[in-house]
């Protein structure tokens, strides 16, 4: 079985395993106690903090260990917003942030705050000028991920951090996907990360808060971790997290070059091997091991099952999955195709032979799924000068399949009207038009669902 979902959680690094086992014997005592076992535990904790801080690029006393990356984000955002409540209640996020950031933003808005979501381009990146325009005198905090977890696009964090510094606004960076590859550049103010993303154990997050940042801890406070993470430290996991971060960073440059070659091979070969595919994300400014593509006329969940049976573990941002009926917020914000979406994220050490095997298996898997979905016959009627496709009650990707079947039945310049009550159609029909060179004319209310208008151009 080939595990190609490292962006969700990387396999435990050998150094992490060794450090975890060793510290189980040495680091079980309370590091706050003054007796010998406590002093030994404190030495391990201090050494782990110094090692992690060096890789993050901050002072050890600016770094807090939390119970997860999500907890680090929530704590960082809540503390920074509370610390600057006299400045204002305006929060800036990008439209493609991790759900942990967006959930905090939703809670802030529900409590009376104001949130601006900065749009991204079709590659998934924010424009520095657009981000700068969102900054206001009452902005309390800005957030921007270092790299996207679904499509791999790297954000212009250093440039945005300079903009925020000039405006006196702290910038929180979610560095979960990138910290294992490199320190985050620029004058950021707060940084959050998660150990299981770089091969450390789960249940360990990092929160760095620069000196001088106004920060007010929310909730009950105790004496541990500068009051920012209550409860007894999971010292063996913390030691393993710091040790593995140092280990992966030592080999990052060489491994990044190798993985980039493999993902470039996937990006180039997939459109050659499979028809009607859109490879998404920035082709240059991207994480080394992540590549994402979407396949027209494919049910994402079924495709994942086909690839699983072939021995590949991948993930998807498609709306056609058992866990959601709406498209990924990332793909939606980018305006790209969501149906049949596949994210391949290669872990450190992935053999080139396994990538080649994946490329040999993929065309057959897609063809199998498309064949299964080829049975539905579009229900069409003529309505004045438009052909109407009734796809009500049918889920992704059936509405797009039925559109594709009838577009050739109308004259160039004529219109097809697709009726759909599937939220994914709002994203996938315009994306289909973009890929196929047809004109998407917009949507209008219908008696049931929504009517999507498409003009045939070729």
């Amino acid at each position: 079985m080939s595990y190609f979902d490292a962006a969700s959680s990387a396999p435990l690094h050998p150094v992490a395993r060794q450090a975890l086992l060793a510290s189980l014997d040495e680091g079980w005592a309370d590091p706050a106690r003054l007796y010998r076992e406590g002093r030994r535990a404190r030495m391990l904790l201090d050494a782990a903090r110094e090692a992690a801080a060096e890789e993050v690029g901050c002072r050890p006393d600016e770094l807090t260990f939390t119970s997860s990356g999500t907890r680090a984000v929530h704590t960082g955002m809540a503390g920074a917003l509370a610390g600057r409540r006299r400045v204002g209640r305006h929060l800036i996020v990008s439209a493609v942030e991790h759900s942990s950031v967006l959930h905090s933003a939703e809670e802030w808005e529900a409590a009376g705050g104001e949130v601006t979501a900065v749009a991204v381009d079709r590659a998934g990146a924010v424009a520095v000028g657009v981000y700068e325009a969102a900054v206001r005198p009452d902005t309390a905090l800005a957030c921007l991920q270092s790299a996207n977890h679904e499509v791999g696009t790297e954000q212009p964090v250093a440039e945005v951090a300079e903009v925020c510094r000039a405006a006196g606004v702290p910038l929180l960076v979610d560095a979960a996907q990138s910290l294992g590859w490199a320190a985050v550049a620029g004058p950021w103010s707060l940084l959050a990360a998660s150990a299981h993303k770089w091969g450390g154990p789960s249940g360990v997050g990092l929160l760095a808060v620069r000196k001088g940042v106004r920060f007010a801890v929310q909730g009950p406070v105790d004496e541990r971790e500068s009051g920012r993470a209550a409860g007894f430290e999971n010292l063996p996991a913390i030691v393993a997290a710091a040790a593995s971060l140092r280990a992966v960073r030592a080999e990052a440059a060489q491994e990044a070059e190798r993985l980039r070659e493999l993902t470039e091979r996937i990006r180039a070969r997939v459109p050659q091997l499979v028809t009607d595919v859109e490879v998404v994300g920035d082709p240059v400014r991207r994480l080394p091991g992540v590549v994402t593509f979407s396949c027209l006329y494919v049910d994402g969940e079924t495709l994942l099952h086909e690839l699983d049976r072939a021995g590949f573990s991948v993930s998807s941002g498609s709306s056609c999955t058992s866990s959601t009926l709406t498209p990924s917020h990332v793909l939606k914000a980018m305006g790209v195709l969501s149906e049949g979406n596949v994210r391949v994220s290669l872990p450190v050490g992935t053999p080139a032979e396994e990538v080649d095997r994946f490329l040999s298996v993929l065309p057959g898997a897609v063809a199998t799924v498309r064949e299964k979905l080829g049975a539905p016959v579009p229900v069409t009627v003529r309505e004045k000068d438009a052909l109407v496709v009734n796809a009500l009650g049918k889920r992704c990707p059936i509405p797009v399949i039925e559109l594709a079947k009838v577009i050739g039945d109308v004259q160039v310049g004529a219109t097809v009207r697709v009726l759909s009550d599937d939220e994914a159609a709002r994203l996938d029909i315009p994306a289909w038009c973009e890929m196929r060179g047809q004109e998407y004319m917009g949507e209008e209310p219908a008696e049931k669902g929504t009517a999507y208008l498409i003009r045939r151009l070729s």
Side-chain angles (χ1 to χ4, degrees), residues 233-255:
E233 298 93 344
N234 184 352
L235 186 53
I238 287 172
V239 171
S244 57
L245 179 57
R246 173 168 284 182
V248 297
R249 288 281 284 276
E251 59 196 25
Q254 182 175 353
E255 185 64 11

Side-chain angles (χ1 to χ4, degrees), residues 20 86 100 112 169 195 217 265 290 297 339 363 422 432 441 451 457:
L20 182 64
R86 292 184 179 179
S100 60
V169 175
V217 177
R265 187 181 307 178
V290 178
Y297 322 132
E339 67 185 51
D422 182 9
W432 180 89
M441 301 171 61
L457 299 182

Side-chain angles (χ1 to χ4, degrees), residues 101-308:
V101 172
L102 299 183
H103 290 162
S104 284
E106 289 170 3
E107 186 177 81
W108 179 249
E109 194 168 33
E114 186 177 353
V115 178
T116 296
V118 178
V120 297
D121 60 21
R122 196 170 175 84
V126 302
V128 178
V130 176
Y131 208 100
E132 183 176 14
V135 177
R136 307 185 327 208
D138 64 337
T139 301
L141 177 67
C143 300
L144 182 62
Q145 60 188 191
S146 55
N148 187 260
H149 49 292
E150 289 194 28
V151 300
T153 297
E154 294 178 335
Q155 299 291 356
V157 172
E159 295 90 338
V160 170
E162 290 289 355
V163 166
C164 290
R165 180 170 67 173
V169 175
L171 177 69
L172 183 147
V173 178
D174 173 13
Q177 291 296 334
S178 71
L179 192 61
W181 297 109
V184 177
W188 50 264
S189 303
L190 303 97
L191 181 144
S194 186
H196 74 98
K197 300 291 188 179
W198 66 67
S202 58
V204 179
L206 304 181
L207 172 61
V209 181
R210 297 282 199 195
K211 293 296 182 182
V213 175
R214 291 186 178 274
F215 194 92
V217 177
Q218 300 301 286
V221 177
D222 66 19
E223 68 280 2
R224 298 180 186 274
E225 292 301 303
S226 302
R228 293 174 183 164
F232 199 95
E233 298 93 344
N234 184 352
L235 186 53
I238 287 172
V239 171
S244 57
L245 179 57
R246 173 168 284 182
V248 297
R249 288 281 284 276
E251 59 196 25
Q254 182 175 353
E255 185 64 11
E257 183 178 354
R258 196 182 70 84
L259 290 185
R260 284 189 191 280
E261 292 178 358
L262 295 180
T263 52
E264 282 303 318
R265 187 181 307 178
I266 297 173
R267 287 179 65 86
R269 292 286 290 151
V270 166
Q272 298 171 357
L273 296 169
V274 181
T275 59
D276 298 316
V277 164
E278 182 177 16
V279 181
V280 300
D282 194 290
V284 178
R285 292 189 58 159
R286 59 183 304 99
L287 292 170
V290 178
V291 57
T292 306
F293 55 89
S294 299
C295 309
L296 274 173
Y297 322 132
V298 168
D299 179 325
E301 183 178 7
T302 306
L303 180 56
L304 262 59
H305 286 319
E306 287 293 328
L307 292 172
D308 183 50

Side-chain angles (χ1 to χ4, degrees), residues 2-70:
S2 294
Y3 181 76
F4 284 1
D5 195 22
S8 292
S9 188
L12 193 66
H13 194 280
V15 170
R17 184 183 301 277
Q18 294 169 5
L20 182 64
L21 293 175
S23 55
L24 285 172
D25 293 330
E26 297 293 328
W28 50 267
D30 186 347
R33 301 307 175 194
L34 298 179
Y35 42 71
R36 181 173 55 189
E37 293 85 355
R39 294 196 305 272
R40 184 184 302 133
R42 169 56 65 180
M43 290 174 63
L44 289 173
L45 179 59
D46 289 346
R49 196 184 313 278
E50 290 177 6
E54 182 178 353
E55 303 301 336
V56 170
C58 67
R59 292 170 33 166
D61 59 352
E62 294 174 331
L63 186 69
T64 298
F65 292 110
T66 66
S67 58
S68 68
T70 295

